[in-house]
Amino acid sequence: MPVREFTDGLDLDEVLLVRSVDRLPRRDGGEYLKVVLGDRTGSVPAMIWDGAADALPLLTPGRPVRVIGRYGVHPRHGAQLTVRAIRTAVSGTYDLADICDGPALPLGRLVAELRALVAGVDHPHLRALLERIVGDDAPDWPRYRDAPAAKHLHHAYRHGLLEHSVTVAQGVAAMAGTFPGLDRDVAVAGTCQAG
């Protein structure tokens, strides 16, 4: 079940991706773990009150783990998952594409929208240049298509550069008509190839 569909009181046994881990002190001198877990639909804080030392080796950011616990919405602390057990995620029991961050639109649609933007460039030399950079047969197209837009802050996932470039180019195309003297083709070409 996707994180965004979790409801108060839900018992779950899911494979989620570890986003971050914090070791925090308990009043009794021990420690507990506050972990952020997620999938492509969102993330949720998770508390591991018991067995922190045993769970810690499995909790590497970017690693999928099998999580058994209960999701709840606390009046004071908000939404969180109370973890009863953490297990190694067994290959074949999950699809990595479902738990890793990714673009909001499917890849095929992003590519189609990029192709429509390129086709809408009237200047033949600019359109030819774009085809050499982002066309289906362009040597660097696979790397461009799959690249993240950034390492950390925005669109930092596979196909992130493509998603960012398409959304910025669509905005530029829509706004180009409102600015006298702005060459729409140059503006769209600049954003399609550079993000």
Side-chain angles (χ1 to χ4, degrees), residues 173-186:
M175 295 296 294
T178 64
F179 293 97
L182 180 66
D183 186 325
R184 179 195 177 278
D185 284 354
V186 171

Side-chain angles (χ1 to χ4, degrees), residues 1 11 13 20 30 32 45 53 56 60-61 79 88 92 103 115-116 118 134 139 146 154 160 165 184-185 191:
M1 170 180 291
D11 285 316
D13 183 343
S20 66
Y32 70 97
L56 197 55
T60 304
T88 300
R115 299 286 174 249
V118 171
V134 298
D146 296 343
H154 73 91
S165 298
R184 179 195 177 278
D185 284 354
T191 55

